[in-house]
Amino acid sequence: MKMVRCPQSLKRCSWLAVALCAAGAALFLLVAYVWLYHDCDLWHLWLPKSANNDEVIYNRQVVGVLTGGQPRGVFGYNESRAALGHFGAWGPVLPLLYGIPGLLVGVGVNTMFWCNVLFAIAGWVIFARGARLSWKKQLVFGLALLCALMPMQQILAGTAESLQYFLIFCVLGASAALLRQFRLGWYLVLAAACGLLTVVRAYTMLLWLFPIGLLWKTHRRHAVAALMMAPLSLGAYCVITKLCNAPYFSGGDVDLTVFHLLAKGRLFSAIRYEWNVVSEELSTLWNDHLLPTFSGHPTRQGVAFLLLMLLVVATVCSLADDMRHHRQIRLRVCALLCVVCSQLAMLALYAIDPMVRHYTMLMILLLGALVCEYWAAFLICVPALAVQVCLPAALWRETLPTYDAAMDQQIQTIHTALQQEMDACHSEDPWDYTVAYAWPSDAFHGYLYAVPAGMGIQFDYSSYIANEDNPIHSRYAMVKRGGKAEQRLIEDDWQELVVSEEIVVYECPEGE
């Protein structure tokens, strides 16, 4: 009887190889962490001290998922809530996906950080195995990430960009694998990644170009299936945004006016409107970010845009080189089309100022495509590193949030009081498990880590709480002592629940 031989592809994807790849990714993240924060207390990372207020909202929603499937209280802004579910402006998809690595990490103030690390390692492994990157190419990719720096700073933090990085890694790895040989498993990974990316952020629908463009000639049926799934995933995004997202203050930063004009049949008005919008956004980019950067006063937005454009130029040059020598270019073409089209979409529909986090996603996409296909990808490290050397170190430095015993004591005091209230409450009304927080001029947002897992948080403007004409649906309110927001609560007979050195938590009067 002949012995059954293990296929070569399975040998290459052995558990040992995967484990070694994961270990290499973990080692790289450790080196990057030490390099970025070598002069800080590396052993006591503590996200309540972080200056990024988004991180605490991500964290509290994820720990709400881990403890009860979804928070018992509602997340929103100025006492708003979603039509379905209890999640905030990002909807349920993101915190539910973070709940998967969260099962390994557990509930804590640094949950998002460790989930990001796990997403980065898993994404690296999928990318490296799918693209069959040698250790040299993986080293080049890691060095390029360090030189670009901004994506690394997002990974080693409590924000949610690492989930998008993970999905982009899946897109690149699966696409590279499908270019070698079609396998249904890799196709499903690619379709799932593109679908989830679109559901989380609408403009990433452009990544469906990968399965459509790469498979159109050789596997038309699967390419057509991807073509049909793309609008379905966009439809899912629209439904979730409409029903499962709490409106962000005045409604959000997405301008949909052009679609309203098109729906009314006013084509030329829509074109003229978008021309004015894009021109204004480009003017803002130049005057507020690029011009100061060129004048010796760089901004993160300006530098991120320049780094992205540097990668675009490098990609175009590599394409010209490889087209001349008839080498593989399809991954880079898809990546470049996604970057250019997404930039136009963001200029047309978004405000320019919060785009740094979007630029970092596009940097990952271009870097990955370059490393996969271009033989001289290591050359991109040189100009990227030059940008860092020429710019002030203060621009790149991010303070590592580290443990603060005094603040922790206050958080524990508030947490204990709110946890007791939550345990004693048997109401079915989600507002009875919700804390209103006066922002931005009142209490430091890091104290919101005191809100027990499962409770909801309303980010309310201080002026909203201070105005007696505005309803407060939340049962609890967290404010800094002595402000107008606290004055309004006292006048409305709210009862002091717990007080610390810097903040006080009030409970609404009985019967309201």
Side-chain angles (χ1 to χ4, degrees):
M1 181 182 293
K2 292 182 179 180
M3 294 183 64
V4 177
R5 293 187 178 181
C6 182
Q8 189 66 25
S9 60
L10 292 181
K11 289 181 180 179
R12 292 197 186 102
C13 195
S14 66
W15 285 109
L16 177 60
V18 171
L20 289 173
C21 191
L27 179 61
F28 165 73
L29 289 176
L30 177 62
V31 171
Y33 177 74
V34 173
W35 180 66
L36 283 172
Y37 305 114
H38 60 275
D39 56 349
C40 302
D41 185 359
L42 299 174
W43 301 103
H44 295 95
L45 170 73
W46 199 61
L47 287 180
K49 288 289 289 184
S50 172
N52 191 328
N53 58 58
D54 282 349
E55 293 179 346
V56 64
I57 301 301
Y58 288 130
N59 179 284
R60 294 295 92 185
Q61 290 186 94
V62 172
V63 298
V65 167
L66 293 174
T67 55
Q70 78 164 350
R72 296 176 70 181
V74 289
F75 285 80
Y77 301 84
N78 280 355
E79 302 300 294
S80 66
R81 60 172 298 183
L84 295 175
H86 298 171
F87 294 96
W90 303 286
V93 177
L94 189 147
L96 287 173
L97 290 175
Y98 263 92
I100 298 172
L103 293 173
L104 300 175
V105 173
V107 174
V109 297
N110 293 337
T111 295
M112 287 292 294
F113 175 88
W114 291 112
C115 286
N116 284 341
V117 170
L118 291 179
F119 271 132
I121 293 173
W124 184 295
V125 171
I126 293 172
F127 174 44
R129 299 307 300 168
R132 290 187 181 172
L133 298 182
S134 66
W135 69 268
K136 292 181 180 179
K137 280 203 167 187
Q138 291 185 58
L139 181 60
V140 167
F141 182 67
L143 290 175
L145 278 180
L146 281 177
C147 291
L149 195 63
M150 287 184 177
M152 284 305 311
Q153 291 174 330
Q154 296 286 357
I155 292 173
L156 300 173
T159 56
E161 273 59 50
S162 285
L163 172 62
Q164 279 80 45
Y165 298 167
F166 166 75
L167 294 173
I168 288 173
F169 282 141
C170 291
V171 168
L172 291 169
S175 296
L178 290 172
L179 280 176
R180 288 194 312 273
Q181 180 182 5
F182 182 86
R183 290 185 178 276
L184 182 60
W186 281 117
Y187 175 77
L188 294 176
V189 169
L190 179 56
C194 291
L196 289 172
L197 277 164
T198 305
V199 170
V200 173
R201 282 190 171 134
Y203 71 85
T204 53
M205 177 186 176
L206 291 163
L207 288 168
W208 283 102
L209 284 172
F210 280 86
I212 296 170
L214 299 180
L215 300 176
W216 191 261
K217 287 186 177 181
T218 56
H219 295 82
R220 182 70 57 87
R221 184 162 54 94
H222 291 89
V224 171
L227 186 61
M228 296 173 64
M229 286 188 282
L232 290 177
S233 62
L234 182 62
Y237 167 84
C238 293
V239 171
I240 291 172
T241 300
K242 181 67 175 178
L243 298 179
C244 303
N245 284 17
Y248 182 76
F249 290 124
S250 61
D253 55 356
V254 181
D255 185 359
L256 301 177
T257 304
V258 63
F259 297 108
H260 297 311
L261 292 173
L262 290 173
K264 296 176 181 179
R266 299 169 60 184
L267 176 61
F268 292 106
S269 296
I271 294 173
R272 184 167 55 251
Y273 178 81
E274 280 305 322
W275 177 267
N276 293 332
V277 168
V278 172
S279 299
E280 184 177 346
E281 292 301 322
L282 288 174
S283 177
T284 300
L285 176 63
W286 174 257
N287 292 322
D288 294 352
H289 300 289
L290 293 179
L291 191 59
T293 299
F294 293 140
S295 302
H297 303 284
T299 67
R300 291 185 65 82
Q301 180 80 20
V303 173
F305 180 80
L306 290 176
L307 284 172
L308 181 61
M309 291 302 103
L310 176 67
L311 286 173
V312 168
V313 171
T315 303
V316 171
C317 292
S318 72
L319 287 173
D321 182 28
D322 281 351
M323 287 175 67
R324 193 160 54 91
H325 293 90
H326 305 288
R327 300 190 188 107
Q328 178 69 263
I329 62 171
R330 283 187 283 177
L331 273 181
R332 281 167 291 167
V333 169
C334 288
L336 189 61
L337 285 173
C338 288
V339 170
V340 173
C341 294
S342 64
Q343 280 296 288
L344 293 174
M346 285 189 282
L347 286 171
L349 302 176
Y350 289 78
I352 194 71
D353 286 329
M355 283 193 188
V356 171
R357 61 183 182 272
H358 303 287
Y359 291 153
T360 58
M361 290 173 55
L362 300 177
M363 289 179 199
I364 293 281
L365 183 63
L366 287 178
L367 280 173
L370 276 165
V371 170
C372 275
E373 285 188 339
Y374 192 46
W375 68 274
F378 61 90
L379 294 175
I380 62 177
C381 297
V382 178
L385 186 60
V387 171
Q388 285 197 53
V389 172
C390 295
L391 291 173
L395 181 70
W396 302 106
R397 291 294 297 159
E398 296 232 351
T399 303
L400 183 70
T402 53
Y403 183 72
D404 185 318
M407 184 176 176
D408 186 29
Q409 184 176 10
Q410 296 182 66
I411 286 177
Q412 294 305 320
T413 300
I414 298 166
H415 174 83
T416 300
L418 286 174
Q419 186 66 60
Q420 290 174 351
E421 289 286 312
M422 188 175 178
D423 293 340
C425 183
H426 302 289
S427 170
E428 297 296 326
D429 186 355
W431 290 107
D432 287 336
Y433 304 94
T434 304
V435 178
Y437 162 72
W439 179 82
S441 59
D442 279 13
F444 177 58
H445 61 262
Y447 288 105
L448 288 172
Y449 283 94
V451 174
M455 268 195 168
I457 297 172
Q458 289 289 319
F459 249 63
D460 295 347
Y461 281 129
S462 296
S463 57
Y464 178 93
I465 294 181
N467 188 342
E468 61 183 13
D469 295 330
N470 293 328
I472 302 177
H473 306 297
S474 304
R475 181 169 179 173
Y476 307 98
M478 180 185 294
V479 298
K480 194 170 184 177
R481 306 187 78 175
K484 292 182 179 179
E486 183 186 27
Q487 183 179 348
R488 183 261 174 102
L489 297 177
I490 294 174
E491 290 175 355
D492 288 352
D493 296 324
W494 285 57
Q495 305 300 311
E496 184 180 290
L497 175 67
V498 59
V499 61
S500 68
E501 293 180 15
E502 298 190 34
I503 63 171
V504 57
V505 177
Y506 285 90
E507 183 178 7
C508 69
E510 291 292 334
E512 293 193 11

